[in-house]
Amino acid sequence: MKFNTKTIHAGLEPDSATGAIMTPIYQTSTFVQESVGVNKGFEYARSHNPTRSALEANLAQLENGKFGACFGSGLAAIDCVLKMLSPGDEVISTSDLYGGSYRLFNTIFAKYGIKFHYTAMDDASKVKALINENTKLVWVETPTNPMLNIIDIEAIANVVKGSKAMLAVDNTFSTPYIQRPLELGADIVMHSVTKYLGGHSDVVMGALVTSDEKIAKEMYRIQNSSGAVCGPQDAFLVLRGVKTLHLRMQRHSENGEKVANWLTKNPAVDKVYYPGLPNHKNHAVAKKQMSAFSGMVSFTLKTDTTQAAHAVLSKCKLFALAESLGGVESLIGHPATMTHASIPADARRESGVVDSLIRLSVGVEDIEDLIADLDAALK
Ligand SMILES: *Cc1c(COP(=O)(O)O)cnc(C)c1O
């Protein structure tokens, strides 16, 4: 099955009880057993739920993996990966990282004796230099948030190979429509399903996919033991969302590219960050590992102040001022005072998150309306 067909059919069978073509919402906590130990594959809904199982199978196939697991949020999925480690183990992570992941690593898992190293990963040799006997996990996020830096997954996989570490990739910004890390040598793919996979800003969920049986066994053991599962209603909503993933990502990418190109010509705009622009510093790597460039665009203003950025945010009518990303509707945000406010100003500016940096999640509306909205705000 090719990708677009998989979004609609992979892992999904008509309901065995009724023939319903859409996977029903199995809103039940338990399943009646024929006799002790004899059941239809379902005992208790923390362990397995048919709606969740259908989504897990679907997402696994979209990433070209064998095993999928869904969680109550993206962070709960990352939490599961970290729980595969033991005290004394070391992790090497992308430095330009989703803030919630950073908080989970440093304020929760560091306490349990796991050591974290952060590096830019623009050059795989920087990762290689940090790998030692205790390194058990390399955590890559690409494109990064909000600077949209691109990390060469295959190059990192080559330096991790032969070590004791697993390579995990946060694929939230790309989705498997654009980039499939398992095919590039990663062991685990992670998603904040909340974003593009759900796609309609109505669900908070996370997912992991792997093809490695040993990792999968641990993943399911922790999913069941820690219990951070998603509910069947949310699984249903995401199954519905994923059926149009290919259509949405195609339009998000088209609109993203058009907005990025338009911004480069606007006199109020200083820099534009979009991996699809030929002058993006990692454009060659982006072209190698991504089939499109998604809908995330960041830019700075010639007037590099928080006030100037806030003025643009407040004048946008169609682009809604909000956290999150990846829904059908366009969103606008100001990292320095929103998602990245907790990072000290100097370190923040050092990483490129200057005072006027604005981040867009470009939706699937008509491009003329989106550009008219930005044009009015930037004037
Ligand atoms: C949102 C996000 C997360 C966290 O996911 P939640 O569903 O909010 O818990 C992790 N990584 C990236 C890149 C994200 O954008």
Side-chain angles (χ1 to χ4, degrees):
M1 242 191 267
K2 293 181 74 181
F3 188 87
N4 299 348
T5 311
K6 279 188 193 175
T7 65
I8 297 162
H9 295 287
L12 307 176
E13 297 288 341
D15 181 47
S16 55
T18 64
I21 192 161
M22 289 299 134
T23 310
I25 303 168
Y26 281 94
Q27 194 76 46
T28 184
S29 60
T30 192
F31 301 84
V32 176
Q33 310 187 9
E34 281 158 45
S35 58
V36 176
V38 182
N39 59 54
K40 297 185 162 74
F42 299 94
E43 295 174 309
Y44 183 63
R46 168 162 36 73
S47 313
H48 298 99
N49 173 286
T51 319
R52 192 179 89 217
S53 297
L55 177 61
E56 290 173 337
N58 179 261
L59 295 183
Q61 290 194 41
L62 290 185
E63 286 288 1
N64 234 347
K66 291 191 185 142
F67 310 99
C70 289
F71 299 84
S73 70
L75 284 174
I78 303 175
D79 180 88
C80 172
V81 176
L82 270 292
K83 283 177 178 162
M84 296 178 194
L85 309 185
S86 303
D89 287 349
E90 297 187 17
V91 178
I92 305 169
S93 166
T94 310
S95 50
D96 187 5
L97 185 69
Y98 174 72
S101 310
Y102 185 79
R103 183 178 56 201
L104 178 66
F105 293 172
N106 282 12
T107 72
I108 310 277
F109 284 100
K111 250 187 4 197
Y112 295 105
I114 293 169
K115 192 170 168 192
F116 294 89
H117 303 273
Y118 296 92
T119 174
M121 296 196 178
D122 49 342
D123 182 345
S125 67
K126 290 183 185 166
V127 176
K128 193 172 184 183
L130 287 167
I131 294 179
N132 65 38
E133 273 291 291
N134 298 326
T135 310
K136 297 293 162 58
L137 176 67
V138 174
W139 188 267
V140 170
E141 186 180 315
T142 181
T144 64
N145 175 31
M147 295 314 297
L148 301 164
N149 293 319
I150 303 294
I151 294 163
D152 188 335
I153 298 170
E154 205 169 14
I156 304 288
N158 285 334
V159 303
V160 173
K161 221 180 276 166
S163 78
K164 290 182 178 165
M166 304 181 285
L167 172 61
V169 176
D170 182 337
N171 203 27
T172 300
F173 272 35
S174 292
T175 82
Y177 174 79
I178 286 178
Q179 163 178 294
R180 288 184 293 279
L182 297 181
E183 293 173 3
L184 301 170
D187 301 298
I188 302 173
V189 176
M190 174 263 154
H191 279 281
S192 170
V193 176
T194 314
K195 317 293 168 53
Y196 284 113
L197 291 181
H200 296 76
S201 307
D202 50 10
V203 168
V204 173
M205 191 192 293
L208 299 177
V209 175
T210 184
S211 287
D212 184 308
E213 254 172 69
K214 259 171 73 187
I215 293 174
K217 229 176 130 186
E218 275 298 274
M219 173 176 83
Y220 290 127
R221 186 181 69 79
I222 297 163
Q223 183 193 37
N224 186 43
S225 303
S226 284
V229 295
C230 65
Q233 172 114 15
D234 284 356
F236 174 87
L237 284 171
V238 174
L239 279 168
R240 183 186 230 255
V242 166
K243 286 183 198 295
T244 55
L245 178 68
H246 52 305
L247 304 173
R248 288 185 286 107
M249 292 316 292
Q250 192 181 352
R251 181 62 67 86
H252 279 296
S253 299
E254 268 172 34
N255 282 358
E257 196 158 343
K258 283 178 183 159
V259 165
N261 272 311
W262 180 83
L263 284 170
T264 59
K265 293 179 205 117
N266 188 287
V269 171
D270 187 19
K271 295 197 180 75
V272 182
Y273 301 96
Y274 184 70
L277 289 177
N279 70 355
H280 183 283
K281 65 176 176 181
N282 312 121
H283 182 62
V285 178
K287 254 177 42 184
K288 185 178 76 162
Q289 68 188 20
M290 301 167 79
S291 63
F293 303 104
S294 201
M296 300 305 295
V297 181
S298 292
F299 64 101
T300 62
L301 302 173
K302 291 225 171 89
T303 312
D304 185 27
T305 63
T306 296
Q307 272 163 316
H310 280 187
V312 172
L313 263 54
S314 67
K315 282 181 187 134
C316 277
K317 293 200 171 82
L318 210 47
F319 279 85
L321 173 60
E323 311 249 349
S324 199
L325 61 110
V328 287
E329 64 289 308
S330 292
L331 301 180
I332 189 166
H334 183 237
T337 53
M338 293 168 70
T339 47
H340 291 61
S342 60
I343 302 171
D346 285 348
R348 171 169 63 67
R349 290 190 191 109
E350 181 84 20
S351 71
V353 185
V354 297
D355 295 348
S356 71
L357 186 82
I358 291 170
R359 191 191 79 175
L360 304 175
S361 172
V362 181
V364 299
E365 300 94 336
D366 280 310
I367 186 67
E368 293 80 3
D369 291 330
L370 295 178
I371 285 182
D373 196 41
L374 290 171
D375 193 37
L378 284 165
K379 273 179 187 144

